[in-house]
Amino acid sequence: MTHSAHDKFFINLHTLHNAWRLREVLPRNLTEPVPYIANREEFHHEMARKLQKTNPRKPEKAKERARDTRKRKKRAVELEEGTEDEQSGAK
């Protein structure tokens, strides 16, 4: 493997502790943020559509779990109230 000289370098300013000092010294065109994607909103909607297709039953499952949790909590409260009544009647 041979090495060649390059005139271009990348500096990841997010990984440096004192990146603000580099930004003060380097010209703005070298430190300006570069967007990861051109159209962020369109990308977001496309990814949301893909996720919705991957598991269409997920919302239904979440509703079932929430319903089961409500029932379980309701039973727990009823049992707790029943033990309180028994304790007060025993005195």
Side-chain angles (χ1 to χ4, degrees):
M1 177 184 242
T2 59
H3 294 280
S4 59
H6 294 286
D7 293 339
K8 296 183 179 182
F9 300 94
F10 289 99
I11 300 174
N12 186 351
L13 295 176
H14 294 287
T15 63
L16 300 175
H17 179 66
N18 293 323
W20 61 274
R21 290 186 186 201
L22 276 175
R23 285 189 203 99
E24 285 181 350
V25 177
L26 295 173
R28 175 68 179 157
N29 66 334
L30 295 179
T31 61
E32 66 186 348
V34 178
Y36 179 68
I37 49 174
N39 188 345
R40 186 183 151 276
E41 188 172 349
E42 182 181 320
F43 177 77
H44 173 80
H45 290 299
E46 181 182 337
M47 294 304 292
R49 279 191 299 275
K50 286 181 182 179
L51 288 172
Q52 288 169 353
K53 288 179 184 177
T54 58
N55 194 355
R57 273 197 30 88
K58 194 172 186 178
E60 294 171 19
K61 290 179 183 177
K63 287 179 184 178
E64 289 173 17
R65 283 194 309 270
R67 187 173 37 252
D68 293 342
T69 301
R70 284 192 301 272
K71 286 180 183 177
R72 190 175 64 247
K73 287 184 177 183
K74 184 177 179 181
R75 274 186 259 138
V77 168
E78 289 171 353
L79 288 174
E80 188 177 296
E81 288 175 352
T83 56
E84 288 176 0
D85 290 341
E86 291 172 6
Q87 289 175 355
S88 64
K91 290 183 182 179

Short mmCIF file of all heavy atoms in Angstrom, two decimals, residues 42-56 58:
data_model
loop_
_atom_site.label_atom_id
_atom_site.label_comp_id
_atom_site.label_asym_id
_atom_site.label_seq_id
_atom_site.Cartn_x
_atom_site.Cartn_y
_atom_site.Cartn_z
N GLU A 42 -39.28 15.56 3.94
CA GLU A 42 -39.63 14.47 3.03
C GLU A 42 -39.01 13.15 3.51
O GLU A 42 -39.66 12.10 3.51
CB GLU A 42 -39.14 14.78 1.62
CG GLU A 42 -39.50 13.73 0.60
CD GLU A 42 -38.97 14.08 -0.77
OE1 GLU A 42 -39.03 15.26 -1.15
OE2 GLU A 42 -38.49 13.16 -1.46
N PHE A 43 -37.77 13.21 3.96
CA PHE A 43 -37.10 12.03 4.49
C PHE A 43 -37.84 11.48 5.71
O PHE A 43 -38.04 10.28 5.84
CB PHE A 43 -35.66 12.39 4.85
CG PHE A 43 -34.89 11.27 5.47
CD1 PHE A 43 -34.38 10.23 4.69
CD2 PHE A 43 -34.67 11.24 6.83
CE1 PHE A 43 -33.67 9.20 5.27
CE2 PHE A 43 -33.96 10.21 7.42
CZ PHE A 43 -33.45 9.19 6.63
N HIS A 44 -38.26 12.37 6.58
CA HIS A 44 -39.00 11.97 7.79
C HIS A 44 -40.30 11.24 7.42
O HIS A 44 -40.60 10.19 7.98
CB HIS A 44 -39.31 13.20 8.64
CG HIS A 44 -40.20 12.92 9.79
ND1 HIS A 44 -39.76 12.36 10.96
CD2 HIS A 44 -41.54 13.11 9.94
CE1 HIS A 44 -40.78 12.21 11.78
NE2 HIS A 44 -41.87 12.66 11.19
N HIS A 45 -41.05 11.80 6.49
CA HIS A 45 -42.32 11.18 6.09
C HIS A 45 -42.08 9.82 5.43
O HIS A 45 -42.85 8.88 5.64
CB HIS A 45 -43.11 12.10 5.17
CG HIS A 45 -43.65 13.32 5.87
ND1 HIS A 45 -44.53 13.23 6.91
CD2 HIS A 45 -43.42 14.64 5.68
CE1 HIS A 45 -44.83 14.45 7.34
NE2 HIS A 45 -44.15 15.32 6.61
N GLU A 46 -41.05 9.71 4.62
CA GLU A 46 -40.73 8.44 3.97
C GLU A 46 -40.38 7.37 5.01
O GLU A 46 -40.86 6.24 4.93
CB GLU A 46 -39.57 8.62 3.00
CG GLU A 46 -39.18 7.36 2.27
CD GLU A 46 -38.00 7.58 1.36
OE1 GLU A 46 -37.73 8.73 0.95
OE2 GLU A 46 -37.32 6.58 1.05
N MET A 47 -39.58 7.73 5.99
CA MET A 47 -39.21 6.78 7.03
C MET A 47 -40.43 6.39 7.87
O MET A 47 -40.58 5.23 8.27
CB MET A 47 -38.12 7.36 7.94
CG MET A 47 -36.80 7.57 7.24
SD MET A 47 -36.15 6.07 6.46
CE MET A 47 -35.78 5.11 7.87
N ALA A 48 -41.32 7.33 8.13
CA ALA A 48 -42.54 7.03 8.88
C ALA A 48 -43.42 6.03 8.12
O ALA A 48 -43.96 5.10 8.71
CB ALA A 48 -43.32 8.32 9.16
N ARG A 49 -43.53 6.22 6.80
CA ARG A 49 -44.31 5.27 5.99
C ARG A 49 -43.71 3.87 6.05
O ARG A 49 -44.42 2.88 6.18
CB ARG A 49 -44.39 5.74 4.54
CG ARG A 49 -45.45 6.80 4.28
CD ARG A 49 -45.66 7.01 2.80
NE ARG A 49 -44.45 7.49 2.12
CZ ARG A 49 -44.07 8.76 2.04
NH1 ARG A 49 -44.81 9.69 2.58
NH2 ARG A 49 -42.98 9.10 1.41
N LYS A 50 -42.39 3.78 5.97
CA LYS A 50 -41.73 2.47 6.04
C LYS A 50 -41.98 1.80 7.38
O LYS A 50 -42.24 0.60 7.45
CB LYS A 50 -40.23 2.63 5.82
CG LYS A 50 -39.85 2.91 4.39
CD LYS A 50 -38.35 3.03 4.25
CE LYS A 50 -37.96 3.35 2.83
NZ LYS A 50 -36.50 3.50 2.68
N LEU A 51 -41.91 2.57 8.45
CA LEU A 51 -42.12 2.00 9.77
C LEU A 51 -43.57 1.55 9.95
O LEU A 51 -43.83 0.55 10.62
CB LEU A 51 -41.74 3.01 10.85
CG LEU A 51 -40.24 3.25 11.00
CD1 LEU A 51 -39.98 4.41 11.96
CD2 LEU A 51 -39.54 2.00 11.48
N GLN A 52 -44.50 2.29 9.40
CA GLN A 52 -45.90 1.90 9.50
C GLN A 52 -46.17 0.60 8.77
O GLN A 52 -47.01 -0.20 9.18
CB GLN A 52 -46.79 3.01 8.95
CG GLN A 52 -46.84 4.23 9.84
CD GLN A 52 -47.50 5.42 9.16
OE1 GLN A 52 -47.82 5.37 7.98
NE2 GLN A 52 -47.71 6.48 9.91
N LYS A 53 -45.45 0.33 7.69
CA LYS A 53 -45.63 -0.90 6.94
C LYS A 53 -44.99 -2.09 7.63
O LYS A 53 -45.44 -3.21 7.47
CB LYS A 53 -45.03 -0.75 5.54
CG LYS A 53 -45.81 0.14 4.63
CD LYS A 53 -45.13 0.25 3.27
CE LYS A 53 -45.85 1.23 2.37
NZ LYS A 53 -45.16 1.38 1.09
N THR A 54 -43.94 -1.86 8.40
CA THR A 54 -43.20 -2.98 8.99
C THR A 54 -44.01 -3.72 10.04
O THR A 54 -43.88 -4.92 10.18
CB THR A 54 -41.87 -2.51 9.61
OG1 THR A 54 -42.14 -1.52 10.60
CG2 THR A 54 -40.94 -1.98 8.56
N ASN A 55 -44.85 -3.02 10.80
CA ASN A 55 -45.63 -3.69 11.83
C ASN A 55 -46.98 -3.01 11.99
O ASN A 55 -47.18 -2.21 12.91
CB ASN A 55 -44.87 -3.71 13.15
CG ASN A 55 -45.49 -4.68 14.12
OD1 ASN A 55 -46.52 -5.27 13.85
ND2 ASN A 55 -44.87 -4.84 15.26
N PRO A 56 -47.94 -3.33 11.12
CA PRO A 56 -49.24 -2.65 11.20
C PRO A 56 -50.04 -3.01 12.44
O PRO A 56 -50.93 -2.27 12.84
CB PRO A 56 -49.96 -3.10 9.93
CG PRO A 56 -49.31 -4.37 9.54
CD PRO A 56 -47.89 -4.28 10.03
N LYS A 58 -48.90 -3.18 15.47
CA LYS A 58 -48.28 -2.62 16.68
C LYS A 58 -49.25 -1.71 17.45
O LYS A 58 -49.36 -1.85 18.68
CB LYS A 58 -47.01 -1.88 16.31
CG LYS A 58 -46.14 -1.55 17.49
CD LYS A 58 -44.81 -0.99 17.04
CE LYS A 58 -43.89 -0.80 18.22
NZ LYS A 58 -42.58 -0.30 17.83
#
